[in-house]
Amino acid sequence: MAKQTQPMTIRGLALQLIEQTHKQKAYSPLLLNQTIEKHQIEGRDAALLTQLVYGVLQRDLTLDFYLKGFVKPNQKIEDWVRYLLFLSIYQLVYLDRIPDHAIVSEAVNLAKKRGHKGIAGFVNGVLRNVIRRGVPSYESLPLPERLSVQYSHPLWLVERWMDHFGTEKAEAILAANNEPASVSVRVNPLKTTREEVMTRLIQDGMEVGLGSLSPDALIIKKGKVVNHPVFKQGLISIQDESSMLVGRALDVQPGMLVLDACAGPGGKTAHLAELMKDEGTIHALDLHKHKTSLIMDQANRLGLHSIHTTALDARSASDHFPEASFDRVLIDAPCTGFGVIRRKPEIKYTKSENDISQISAIQAAILSSCASLVKPGGKLVYSTCTIDREENSRQVEAFLAEHPEFDWDDTLADRLATVKEANEEALRNGWIQLLPSDSEGDGFFISCLVRKA
C-alpha cells in the first residue's frame, strides 16, 4: 500500500509561497489567491495564511536583522531555512495568539520534513534563543538605517523618500506600507447604485462602508465579493479607490472618442465606459495580447460595448491613429509601483534606482507619442501608481517644457472635490499626489493637461 502524504499545513504553505515569491520573483497576491483556491482554504485558515505570507514579505529586512543576532557572521544558511526562520520569528514577535512552543514545534517539524535532523536542531536552537533572549534592538542605529530596519524598506529608498517628502512624512509612508491593504469596489452606475449594492452585501453578512475618496467606491471591511452575485452580474468591479479617481479626472462625456493607451487589465477602461454611459468609442491599447483579452473579459462581464482593444505598444500609438483625433487620452503609465507596496510587498526589494531611470524614459516616450493624438481643446491624463517624483510631477513638467501646446488643466480640482475634502494638500493646480499614508487607498499620481485650442 502506497504511503499517504499528509496535507500541507498552513505554515508549510506559507513557507512555500514566501520561497516562490523570492525565487521566481512571483506576484504574491496572485500566488496567494491561487493557493487558497487550489487547497480550498477558508475562514480563519485563509486569514492566517494571508497574514503570514504578507507579514513575512513586508518585514523581510527587519526579520533578517533579528536573525543576524542569533547566527554567526557569514554563516551559510539555505534559502528555505532562512525563510522558515523568518516565518517563525515573525510569529514570535508580531503574533500573540500562537503559543511559543507551538511555533517552535511546527518549525522543527517542517525542517525535518524538508531537510534533516541537523537542520531541525539548528532551527530549534535559534528559535529557543530568540524566545530566551528576545530580538536585538535597532533603536541605536543612525536614523535612515533605523527606519530601513524598523519598516523593512531598502536604505536607498528610505533616503530617497526622506529627501522627497521630509523625515516625518517619509516615516508615515513606510509605516502605511506595512498595514493591510483595504478592499474596495467600484459600483457600475449603468446597472445599479452604491446604496443598492451596499444593502445587498450587508444583507449577506458583509461589513461595507462608503469610500472616502471616490463617489463610486464601497469599502469591503469584512467578506469576499469576488464570488458574490453582485460581482458576477457586473454590478461591481474590484478596484482601488485611488485608482477610481483617474476616470473622473479625464472628464469624459457620452459620445467622445477616447484613447486608453496603457489599458491592461482594463479597470480604468471600464470605468471610463461607465462614466460615458457606454456611448462613444474607447480604444484600449496594451503591449501584451493576453491583457487585451482581460480588458474584454471585464467589458463583457459589465455589459459594456464601447470598448475596442488593440495589442500595441503605446510608444507607437501616433503611427497607428490619425493626429489630433481623440477628445481624451489616458496614459496610466507603466511605473515602479511604489504606491502599491502594501499590496505587493516584494516590489520594494526588487526595484532599484536604475529601474526608476529606465522606466522614466519609457514614460516620456509614451507621453511624446500620444500627445499628438489629442485634439485641440482636448484633455490628456497622465497617471501612475507610484509616489516617485521623477516618474510623476517632474515627468509632466519636463513634458510641458517640450510641448508648449499643452497646459495644466486648472479645473481638475472641481472633478476631484472628494479628494479636496479628504486631503487638500494632495491636490495642486492640475495634479494630485496621493500617498499611502493619506488614506486607505493606494499611492497615486494623477495629472490632467489641456491641449490649447
Side-chain angles (χ1 to χ4, degrees), residues 184-187 194 209-212 214-219 241 244:
S184 55
V185 299
R186 187 188 75 243
V187 174
R194 281 205 302 181
L210 295 174
S212 60
S214 169
D216 306 304
L218 291 174
I219 307 298
E241 193 177 6
M244 295 179 205

Side-chain angles (χ1 to χ4, degrees), residues 56-88:
V56 172
L57 292 175
Q58 284 168 338
R59 293 173 172 83
D60 193 280
L61 297 181
T62 314
L63 296 168
D64 187 57
F65 176 82
Y66 289 156
L67 180 59
K68 284 176 180 174
F70 299 95
V71 297
K72 297 174 183 176
N74 302 319
Q75 182 172 354
K76 289 188 176 181
I77 304 173
E78 288 187 68
D79 287 342
W80 74 268
V81 178
R82 183 179 299 277
Y83 301 141
L84 174 58
L85 289 168
F86 282 4
L87 178 63
S88 305

Side-chain angles (χ1 to χ4, degrees), residues 48-121:
L48 177 60
L49 179 62
T50 301
Q51 184 177 35
L52 292 175
V53 172
Y54 275 111
V56 172
L57 292 175
Q58 284 168 338
R59 293 173 172 83
D60 193 280
L61 297 181
T62 314
L63 296 168
D64 187 57
F65 176 82
Y66 289 156
L67 180 59
K68 284 176 180 174
F70 299 95
V71 297
K72 297 174 183 176
N74 302 319
Q75 182 172 354
K76 289 188 176 181
I77 304 173
E78 288 187 68
D79 287 342
W80 74 268
V81 178
R82 183 179 299 277
Y83 301 141
L84 174 58
L85 289 168
F86 282 4
L87 178 63
S88 305
I89 294 170
Y90 170 76
Q91 294 174 82
L92 291 171
V93 175
Y94 295 101
L95 304 184
D96 54 14
R97 62 183 184 273
I98 305 170
D100 289 353
H101 67 85
I103 294 169
V104 175
S105 176
E106 176 82 5
V108 170
N109 286 336
L110 286 171
K112 285 178 181 175
K113 288 178 185 176
R114 180 79 182 265
H116 51 73
K117 189 175 179 181
I119 291 176

